[in-house]
């Protein structure tokens, strides 16, 4: 009677109905204990363990069925310790009791405790042996499972199927197939396990072949078998195969089976393009259960048709908890978390699955505090509840709280599930908590998850990020089953620890690679500045008919940008277009950056074609314009960005201040510097202060730049002092330059660039004693100047040159071309600027030293091997010196070539357009020049124009006036220089 009253008073509708049936049975003389056992099982299925225990405790007498029901309820709900207490209370019960407990421990990964129970059983039948084998199988320890299987005194077909399941679950399909062929007897379960096994390794074609073989042998599929093969068909993604299978379903009478119908619906709904077909099939179904409705709701939600999903939900006559939960999940996934919460609140008595769905929804939307509040209100939590919260904390960057929740779980007497452990390993990776990770690893061993592939993959990742490759190698080498994820985890760990050679060896030894494998190794080479290897792997990927993803294309475009390899970048752009990825945001952003770095005009065209832009897009184009010295264009882009309602960030203002610096826009620079804090609440970073120092210094206010540094609220770093030193170099301010250099020598004593910069200042002022002192300090510190290197791409091949290069295969022709240019340019007004020579030698030696700078060699080579009029593009690792800048300017004028040079700081564009036109107007081929003394006057004027790099409009007026005064002089031969300039 107590049992019936408790059930009527407190149970949900299903449980109350069970209580009513119990009362009827009691009235007809049936044993009350039998009905209560059924009620306990029902409550356990609903997750209401506390009420189930109250029913159990209220029983006046209990038989073994009641004990087993309560033990099973505890095991089903992740509470094996409570189950063990009951097990011990009845001294182990019967063999069925032991098998239930073994299964409970197995589901939670607590293999060692399961084995203690198994070894302590006084009597074992085949069911107990099979349960222990299944326990090993579920937790990935196939070796122990096989050892136990071989030790069995007798086996039935379930024993073989358990072992077969183990091989299939561990993806050892060769061993599974061998065992399958040796089986003395096979039933439908055997065939179903094999079909599922091939599905697990995504060999859906083989799974379909096994099913066809089974059918040829005369076996008719049952519901479970149909469900497995339908899962394989779902993986095949071939609707024609599905249609042929539906014929067999119809012949065997399963067409109206709601489980099979739902499985068919699941196949249709997998393909988003077949969603309309799925809807049509759904509408044709005679019978639907809660899973049918929830499948359709989930499919529509996943396909982005949330309103259609809501409409289907409204039609569901039952609106079961499964359907409500599916819609809660769908609403959360599309960001309608408030609607999901309203639906959750409408559930009269939500079960634990619904609570878990709502908590997961909050976590997916970054609403961690709301998830925690709901978690605290839960009347009952299962292991999935704890796992969801721990995973949510870890994935939302709150790793310390994830670790705290694990401690709380442990204090409650529950051991963490496999999912919780993998999330904790992820959390430890995030915060590089090696010691904590080792402790949790020990806990995983205690629980018995140390051989599980998911746990091992997470451990390899954690030890890799914590830079403990010894432990990472140990875990990886001891793994019983290594899938592609395992290999990728180990590969990533090697890359993170800069073990690139071992990573490549691991990559080459992988039996199966996926796009993650290719992305990892290509990214590793790119980050290590091994661009050729990165491109080589990409070519190999294509040869193996593997298609790249967006991250790979983004990485390679970055490599092309760094190298200035515009032609290869254009080829990758073509690949992106063919794969339909060029419109993806990250790819389009990478394209803009690549084209800017390569000096190509396509960057603006890509930007204009973009349908979607983020802050990175705007920052990229603003910074790109700044690097090219187009300050006004950068500012215009910023104004467009403001008009679009996009808020700038710190990177935006770095680009703007750089743009103002390169364009000499002091007032605009001050305006933007003040705006970032006053208008947007952004605190200036060292990079912003460095830009302001550069801006003030470039425009000649070196003293003001130094005072600005002393007035800053932050401690100046190397970038700031380097900006001041660079300004001192431009304006030859040795006093302030020395102070800036001394600061830099203390902060980074091994940076050769600082010593060279100070030497440049001294040498430009003829202070050779100070130059010698700087060289002495460099020698004492063991500092070696980085050699200047320039490179250019000709016909998909990169050619590099170093200062004084003698190694290039065409070096003799290059030097001859360079010397010929040198002679020609000196005649046109070029005067070598020997201030950039750091040695106290005579002028002729200085000029010879300047001649063979790497960028001059690269320009000469391009003139030698490229067609007339073709633009030239050079990249250099260091800043271009002033003499090379002037030299290349003259080369551009004389050869009528567009020359673009990207040095370590910015782009330099040299164009012959207006200056060459002016020269042509002054020295036309038909113009007869005057006497030698007057022609020398004009040549002197041209030289002055070349050195000052000013427009010639005003100068042309003066030249024309002077030429009018020379009409009484005798004409002489045609001025030969004019022909050289125009040739």
């Amino acid at each position: 009677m107590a049992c019936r009253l408790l059930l009527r008073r407190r149970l949900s509708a299903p449980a109350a109905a069970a209580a009513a049936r119990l009362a009827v049975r009691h009235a007809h003389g049936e044993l009350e204990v039998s009905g209560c056992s059924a009620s306990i099982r029902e409550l356990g299925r609903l997750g209401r363990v506390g009420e189930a225990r109250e029913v159990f405790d209220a029983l006046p007498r209990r038989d073994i069925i009641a004990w087993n029901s309560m033990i099973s309820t505890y095991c089903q709900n992740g509470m094996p310790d409570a189950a063990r207490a009951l097990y011990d209370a009845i001294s182990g019960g019967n063999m069925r009791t032991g098998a239930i407990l073994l299964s409970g421990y197995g589901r939670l990964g607590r293999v060692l405790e399961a084995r203690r129970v198994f070894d302590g059983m006084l009597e074992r039948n085949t069911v107990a042996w099979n349960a222990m084998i299944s326990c090993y199988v579920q937790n990935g320890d196939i070796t122990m499972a096989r050892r136990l299987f071989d030790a069995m005194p007798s086996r039935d077909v379930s024993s073989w199927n358990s072992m077969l399941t183990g091989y299939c679950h561990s993806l050892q399909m060769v061993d599974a197939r061998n065992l399958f062929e040796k089986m003395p007897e096979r039933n439908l379960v055997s065939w179903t396990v094999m079909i599922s096994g091939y599905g697990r390794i995504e060999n859906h074609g083989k799974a379909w072949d096994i099913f066809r073989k089974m059918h040829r042998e005369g076996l008719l599929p049952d519901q479970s078998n149909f469900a497995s093969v339908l899962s394989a068909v779902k993986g095949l993604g071939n609707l024609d195969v599905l249609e042929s299978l539906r014929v067999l379903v119809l012949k065997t009478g399963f067409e109206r089976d709601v489980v099979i119908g739902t499985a068919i619906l699941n196949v249709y709904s997998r393909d988003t393009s077949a969603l309309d077909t799925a809807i049509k099939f759904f509408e044709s179904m005679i019978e639907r259960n809660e899973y049918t409705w929830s499948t359709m709701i989930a499919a529509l939600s996943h396909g982005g048709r949330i309103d259609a999903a809501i409409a289907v939900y409204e039609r569901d006559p039952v609106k079961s908890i499964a359907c409500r939960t599916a819609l809660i999940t769908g609403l959360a996934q599309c960001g309608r978390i408030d609607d999901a919460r309203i639906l959750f609140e409408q559930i009269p008595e939500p079960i634990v699955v619904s609570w878990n769905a709502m908590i997961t929804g909050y976590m997916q939307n970054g609403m961690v505090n709301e998830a925690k509040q709901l978690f605290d209100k839960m009347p009952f939590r299962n292991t999935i509840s704890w796992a969801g919260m721990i995973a949510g904390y870890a994935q939302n960057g709150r790793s310390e709280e994830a670790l705290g929740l694990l401690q709380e779980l442990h204090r409650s007497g529950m051991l963490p599930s496999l999912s919780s452990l993998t999330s904790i390993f992820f959390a430890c990776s995030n915060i590089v908590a090696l010691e904590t990770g080792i402790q949790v690893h020990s806990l995983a061993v205690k629980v018995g998850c140390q051989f599980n592939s998911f746990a091992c993959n997470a451990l390899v990742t954690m030890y890799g990020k914590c830079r403990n490759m010894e432990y990472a190698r140990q875990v990886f080498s001891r793994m019983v089953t290594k899938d592609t994820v395992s290999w990728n985890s180990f590969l990533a760990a090697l890359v993170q620890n800069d073990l690139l050679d071992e990573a490549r060896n691991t990559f080459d030894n992988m039996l199966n690679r996926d796009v993650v494998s290719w992305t990892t190794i290509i990214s590793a080479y790119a980050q290590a500045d091994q661009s050729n290897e990165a491109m080589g792997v990409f070519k190999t990927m294509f040869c193996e008919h593997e298609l790249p993803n967006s991250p790979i294309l983004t990485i390679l475009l970055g490599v092309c940008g760094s190298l200035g390899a515009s032609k290869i970048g254009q080829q990758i752009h073509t690949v992106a277009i063919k794969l339909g990825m060029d419109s993806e945001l990250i790819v389009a952003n990478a394209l803009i950056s690549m084209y800017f770095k390569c000096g190509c005009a396509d960057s603006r065209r890509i930007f204009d074609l973009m349908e979607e832009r983020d802050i990175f897009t705007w920052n990229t184009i603003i910074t790109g314009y700044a690097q090219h010295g187009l300050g006004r264009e950068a500012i215009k882009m910023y104004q467009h960005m403001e008009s679009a309602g996009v808020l700038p960030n710190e990177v935006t203002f770095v680009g703007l201040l750089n743009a103002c610096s390169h364009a000499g826009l002091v007032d605009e620079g001050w305006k933007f510097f003040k705006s970032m804090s006053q208008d947007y609440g952004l605190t200036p970073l060292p990079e912003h202060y460095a830009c302001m120092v550069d801006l003030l210094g470039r425009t000649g206010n070196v003293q003001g730049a130094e005072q600005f540094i002393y007035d800053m609220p932050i401690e100046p770093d190397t970038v700031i002092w380097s900006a001041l030193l660079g300004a001192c170099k431009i304006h030859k301010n040795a006093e302030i330059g020395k102070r800036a250099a001394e600061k830099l020598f203390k902060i980074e004593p091994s940076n050769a660039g600082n010593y060279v910069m100070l030497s440049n200042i001294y040498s430009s002022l003829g202070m050779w004693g100070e130059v010698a002192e700087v060289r002495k300090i460099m020698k004492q510190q063991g500092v070696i100047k980085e050699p200047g290197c320039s490179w250019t791409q000709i016909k998909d091949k990169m050619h590099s040159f170093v200062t004084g290069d003698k190694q290039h295969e065409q070096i003799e022709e290059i030097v001859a071309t360079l010397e010929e240019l040198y002679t020609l340019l000196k005649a046109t007004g070029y005067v070598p600027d020997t201030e950039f020579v750091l040695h106290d030698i005579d002028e002729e030696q200085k000029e010879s030293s300047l001649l063979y700078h790497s960028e001059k060699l690269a320009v000469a080579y391009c003139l030698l091997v490229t067609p007339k009029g073709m633009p030239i593009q050079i990249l250099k690792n260091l800043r271009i010196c002033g003499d090379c800048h002037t030299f290349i300017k003259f080369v551009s004028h004389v050869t009528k070539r567009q020359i673009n040079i990207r040095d370590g700081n910015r782009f330099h564009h040299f164009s012959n357009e207006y200056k060459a036109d002016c020269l042509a107007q002054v020295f036309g081929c038909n113009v007869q020049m005057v006497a030698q003394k007057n022609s020398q006057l004009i040549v002197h004027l041209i030289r002055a124009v070349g050195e000052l790099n000013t427009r010639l409009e005003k100068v042309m007026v003066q030249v024309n006036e002077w030429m009018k005064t020379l009409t009484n002089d005798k004409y002489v031969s045609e001025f030969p220089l004019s022909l050289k300039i125009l040739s």
Side-chain angles (χ1 to χ4, degrees):
M1 178 64 70
C3 173
R4 293 200 304 276
L5 291 175
L6 180 63
L7 289 172
R8 288 175 179 173
R9 185 170 63 252
R10 298 188 59 185
L11 301 190
S12 61
R21 289 193 299 272
L22 175 62
V24 173
R25 289 176 182 170
H26 186 72
H28 286 80
E30 292 186 16
L31 290 175
E32 184 176 358
V33 66
S34 175
C36 281
S37 297
S39 298
I40 290 169
R41 291 193 294 273
E42 176 70 8
L43 287 167
R45 188 184 69 82
L46 295 173
R48 303 175 68 170
V49 182
E51 294 174 41
R53 182 57 191 257
E54 290 181 20
V55 172
F56 177 77
D57 290 339
L59 283 170
R61 57 188 178 83
R62 309 179 187 103
D63 60 11
I64 192 61
I65 297 175
W67 285 93
N68 285 348
S69 298
M70 195 62 233
I71 290 172
S72 178
T73 292
Y74 278 133
C75 290
Q76 286 173 358
N77 288 275
M79 301 171 68
D81 294 330
R84 178 63 186 268
L86 293 183
Y87 176 84
D88 293 337
I90 54 173
S91 301
N94 58 13
M95 286 185 284
R96 170 66 179 158
T97 315
I100 293 171
L101 189 57
L102 289 175
S103 299
Y105 277 129
R107 278 195 294 269
L108 289 177
R110 296 166 66 171
V111 182
L112 297 178
E113 289 164 274
R115 186 57 191 256
R116 292 191 195 102
V117 171
F118 178 78
D119 291 339
M121 293 176 69
L122 299 176
E123 185 179 359
R124 308 186 196 104
N125 59 6
T126 306
V127 174
W129 284 87
N130 291 346
M132 192 63 229
I133 291 173
S134 295
C135 182
Y136 281 125
V137 163
Q138 288 170 359
N139 291 277
D141 194 348
I142 307 305
T143 302
M144 285 300 300
R146 184 57 191 256
R147 193 175 299 169
L148 205 63
F149 175 81
D150 292 337
M152 288 183 71
S154 63
R155 307 186 190 99
D156 58 13
V157 69
S158 296
S159 311
W160 288 87
N161 286 342
S162 295
M163 196 64 235
L164 190 65
T165 300
Y167 282 130
C168 290
H169 283 188
S170 63
L171 312 181
Q172 300 179 45
M173 289 310 297
V174 174
D175 294 324
R177 187 61 182 264
N178 291 336
L179 188 72
F180 180 76
E181 298 297 341
K182 293 177 183 178
M183 289 180 69
E185 176 189 359
R186 300 186 194 122
N187 58 13
L188 268 176
V189 174
S190 315
W191 291 94
T192 303
V193 169
M194 285 299 294
I195 292 169
S196 300
Y198 281 118
R200 280 175 173 268
I201 63 170
E202 297 187 2
N203 192 340
H204 304 297
K206 198 71 175 177
W208 177 244
D209 291 340
I210 289 286
F211 176 78
R212 293 171 63 193
K213 181 179 179 182
M214 181 198 81
H215 187 55
R216 284 195 299 269
E217 292 190 11
L219 274 77
L220 290 176
D222 61 3
Q223 187 188 75
S224 177
N225 190 265
F226 265 131
S228 295
V229 75
L230 280 166
S231 178
V233 173
K234 179 180 175 181
L236 282 173
N238 190 330
L239 296 183
D240 292 334
V241 174
L242 175 61
E243 297 302 329
S244 66
L245 185 61
R246 283 188 62 186
V247 173
L248 181 60
V249 170
L250 185 63
K251 287 181 178 179
T252 52
F254 279 96
E255 178 72 13
R256 298 189 175 188
D257 185 287
V258 67
V259 174
I260 301 305
T262 302
I264 293 172
L265 177 65
N266 208 4
V267 178
Y268 280 128
S269 62
R270 171 67 180 271
D271 188 348
T272 308
S273 63
L275 197 52
D276 292 331
T277 307
I279 295 171
K280 184 177 179 181
F281 179 81
F282 172 77
E283 298 296 347
S284 69
M285 292 179 69
I286 296 173
E287 181 184 358
R288 306 183 187 107
N289 61 14
E290 60 181 298
Y291 301 109
T292 313
W293 290 97
S294 62
T295 297
M296 195 67 245
I297 291 168
L300 290 167
S301 301
H302 183 70
R305 303 188 191 181
I306 189 64
D307 292 331
I310 294 171
V312 170
Y313 170 77
E314 295 295 341
R315 290 172 50 199
D316 180 10
V318 178
K319 292 183 176 55
S320 65
I321 292 178
C323 290
R324 295 184 189 218
T325 303
L327 187 55
I328 288 171
T329 301
L331 289 166
Q333 286 174 344
C334 71
R336 294 172 60 173
I337 192 67
D338 292 335
D339 293 337
R341 182 58 187 261
I342 291 171
L343 182 59
F344 174 78
E345 297 292 351
Q346 291 174 356
I347 302 175
E349 295 184 20
I351 61 174
V352 68
V353 176
S354 304
W355 286 90
N356 292 344
M358 193 64 233
I359 288 171
T360 302
Y362 275 131
M363 287 297 190
Q364 288 172 344
N365 285 272
M367 302 172 70
V368 181
N369 294 333
E370 290 81 356
K372 182 62 166 64
Q373 290 172 5
L374 198 66
F375 179 77
D376 291 338
K377 294 178 181 178
M378 288 184 74
F380 168 75
R381 303 169 186 151
N382 61 11
T383 54
I384 298 174
S385 314
W386 289 94
M389 280 298 299
I390 291 172
Y393 275 134
Q395 291 165 4
N396 282 280
R398 294 167 65 165
S399 299
E400 291 85 355
E401 290 169 88
L403 295 173
L405 201 60
L406 176 68
Q407 293 176 342
E408 186 180 337
L409 169 65
H410 201 47
R411 284 195 298 268
S412 71
M414 296 176 65
L415 286 176
S417 66
L418 173 63
S419 177
S420 296
L421 288 170
T422 54
S423 296
I424 287 296
F425 293 140
F426 177 69
C428 291
S429 301
N430 289 343
I431 57 176
V432 197
L434 177 60
E435 293 303 320
T436 304
I438 293 172
Q439 294 174 11
V440 179
H441 188 178
S442 301
L443 182 60
V445 173
K446 179 181 178 182
V447 171
C449 296
Q450 70 271 30
F451 297 112
N452 182 275
S453 60
F454 293 104
C456 289
N457 294 342
L459 277 167
V460 169
T461 299
M462 181 195 73
Y463 284 129
K465 287 189 176 180
C466 293
R467 306 191 77 80
N468 190 323
M469 282 307 299
E470 180 184 354
Y471 283 8
R473 286 191 184 92
Q474 287 179 11
V475 173
F476 183 73
S477 63
R478 293 173 183 172
M479 288 181 68
V480 179
T481 304
K482 298 186 182 81
D483 56 13
T484 306
V485 177
S486 310
W487 285 92
N488 286 343
S489 300
F490 187 60
L491 182 66
L494 292 169
V495 168
Q496 288 161 359
N497 286 270
D498 304 319
L499 300 170
L500 193 49
D501 292 338
E502 187 178 351
R504 181 56 188 267
N505 185 54
T506 300
F507 176 81
D508 291 338
N509 289 327
M510 290 178 68
L511 297 177
N512 296 299
R513 306 185 190 110
D514 60 11
V515 71
V516 176
S517 318
W518 294 98
T519 304
T520 302
I521 197 69
I522 290 173
S523 176
Y525 280 127
Q527 291 172 1
D529 292 328
Q530 298 187 29
S531 306
N532 292 333
E533 286 76 7
M535 290 297 180
V537 174
F538 180 62
K539 291 177 182 177
T540 303
M541 183 181 187
F542 260 91
C543 291
E544 295 187 12
H545 306 291
E546 292 282 347
L547 294 178
N549 58 6
S550 300
I552 288 179
L553 295 179
T554 303
I555 293 165
L556 292 171
L557 288 169
V559 169
C560 294
S562 299
L563 291 175
S566 58
K567 293 180 180 177
I568 299 176
Q570 288 167 351
Q571 293 172 8
I572 295 172
H573 188 179
T574 302
V575 171
I577 292 171
K578 288 182 178 179
L579 296 176
M581 296 180 183
D582 59 310
S583 59
E584 292 186 23
L585 187 59
I586 61 169
V587 176
N589 287 342
L591 283 167
I592 294 173
S593 179
M594 184 272 294
Y595 280 126
F596 261 129
K597 289 179 179 179
C598 292
C600 300
D602 291 321
S603 50
R604 180 58 188 265
R605 181 177 60 83
I606 299 294
F607 177 85
D608 290 338
L609 291 173
M610 290 177 69
E611 296 180 359
E612 178 188 2
R613 301 181 183 118
D614 61 4
I615 184 63
F616 186 83
T617 314
W618 292 98
N619 287 346
T620 301
I621 198 158
I622 290 171
T623 303
Y625 278 133
Q627 289 174 338
H628 285 267
L630 302 172
R632 296 290 182 188
E633 289 298 321
I635 293 172
K636 286 180 183 178
M637 233 352 117
Y638 173 70
Q639 291 167 348
H640 290 320
M641 175 182 168
E642 284 187 313
S643 300
V646 180
L647 290 176
N649 60 13
E650 290 86 352
V651 178
T652 314
F653 284 101
V654 170
L656 284 170
L657 293 174
N658 265 322
C660 293
S661 176
H662 291 154
L665 305 174
V666 180
D667 292 339
E668 289 84 349
W670 274 113
K671 173 186 170 185
F672 289 127
F673 183 76
K674 293 174 181 177
S675 173
M676 66 180 296
S677 55
Q678 293 176 359
D679 299 335
Y680 298 102
L682 300 172
T683 302
L685 301 174
E687 292 82 359
H688 302 105
Y689 288 106
C691 290
M692 288 303 299
V693 171
D694 190 55
L695 173 60
L696 295 171
R698 278 179 181 271
T699 53
N701 189 4
V702 181
Q703 291 85 358
E706 184 181 30
Q707 189 59 47
F708 179 82
I709 294 176
Y710 292 133
D711 293 340
M712 289 189 321
I714 64 171
E715 188 71 23
D717 63 4
T718 57
V719 180
I720 294 172
W721 288 116
S722 294
L724 181 61
L725 184 59
C728 292
K729 176 192 170 187
I730 295 172
H731 299 287
K732 302 179 183 179
N733 191 318
E735 181 184 354
I736 296 177
K738 181 182 179 182
R739 289 199 291 268
E742 287 173 347
K743 295 286 186 181
L744 287 167
F745 295 163
K746 291 178 181 178
I747 301 173
E748 43 180 17
S750 300
N751 188 338
N754 301 326
Y755 298 91
V756 173
M757 193 89 74
L758 183 59
S759 292
N760 277 332
I761 298 172
Y762 288 146
S763 64
S764 67
L765 296 170
M767 302 168 65
W768 299 111
E770 286 77 0
V771 171
E773 184 64 27
V774 173
R775 295 175 65 82
K776 180 181 177 181
I777 295 172
M778 289 180 68
K779 189 173 182 180
Q780 290 173 347
Q781 295 286 346
V783 178
I784 300 174
K785 178 182 179 294
E786 181 183 1
C789 179
S790 299
W791 60 96
T792 185
Q793 181 185 356
I794 305 292
K795 294 181 179 179
D796 295 334
K797 182 179 179 181
M798 298 302 296
H799 296 263
S800 61
F801 303 87
V802 295
T803 299
D805 202 335
K806 302 293 182 184
Q807 302 300 318
H808 196 277
E809 56 189 14
Q810 293 179 260
I811 191 63
E812 292 182 2
E813 299 170 74
I814 294 169
V815 170
T817 302
L818 188 57
E819 290 175 348
E820 183 180 344
L821 270 175
Y822 181 66
T823 302
L824 175 61
L825 297 184
K826 286 190 73 175
T828 65
Y830 162 66
V831 178
D833 190 348
T834 56
E835 290 181 356
F836 294 94
V837 178
L838 304 183
H839 300 276
D840 187 12
I841 53 180
D842 61 49
E843 286 298 309
E844 186 176 347
Q845 288 178 303
K846 288 181 180 180
E847 290 184 18
S848 178
S849 173
L850 288 171
L851 182 59
Y852 302 108
H853 279 192
S854 63
E855 55 267 55
K856 291 190 178 88
L857 293 169
V859 168
Y861 177 68
C862 290
L863 291 172
L864 188 65
V865 299
T866 59
K868 182 179 179 180
M870 181 177 177
I872 293 172
Q873 184 168 319
I874 308 293
L875 286 86
K876 187 179 180 183
N877 61 334
L878 305 176
R879 285 188 179 184
I880 186 171
C881 77
D883 176 69
C884 288
H885 194 282
T886 303
F887 179 88
I888 295 169
K889 185 191 306 179
F890 271 85
V891 172
S892 175
H893 298 169
V894 170
T895 61
K896 296 184 180 180
R897 296 275 195 126
Q898 172 78 33
I899 302 177
N900 300 318
I901 295 187
R902 191 185 88 193
D903 65 12
N905 190 40
R906 54 163 291 183
F907 271 89
H908 303 270
H909 299 286
F910 304 93
S911 175
N912 67 298
E913 292 174 1
Y914 72 86
K915 294 164 188 171
D917 291 341
C918 292
L919 287 170
Q921 291 178 45
V922 177
F923 299 116
C925 292
N926 298 322
V927 177
Q928 297 292 318
M929 305 315 294
V930 294
Q932 182 67 28
K933 62 177 181 178
N934 296 320
S935 62
Q936 286 178 349
L937 175 65
I938 297 174
V939 169
H940 178 72
L941 179 60
I942 296 170
R943 179 181 293 118
V945 171
E947 291 175 353
L948 296 174
N949 190 27
T950 59
R951 288 188 171 274
L952 298 180
E953 285 84 352
K954 295 180 181 179
V955 178
M956 282 177 59
V957 174
Q958 290 182 312
V959 171
N960 289 331
E961 290 297 324
W962 288 338
M963 289 183 67
K964 289 177 183 178
T965 65
L966 302 175
T967 54
N968 295 325
D969 290 337
K970 294 180 180 179
Y971 285 104
V972 291
S973 61
E974 213 176 38
F975 187 42
L977 184 57
S978 63
L979 296 178
K980 291 182 179 179
I981 292 174
L982 298 172
S983 63

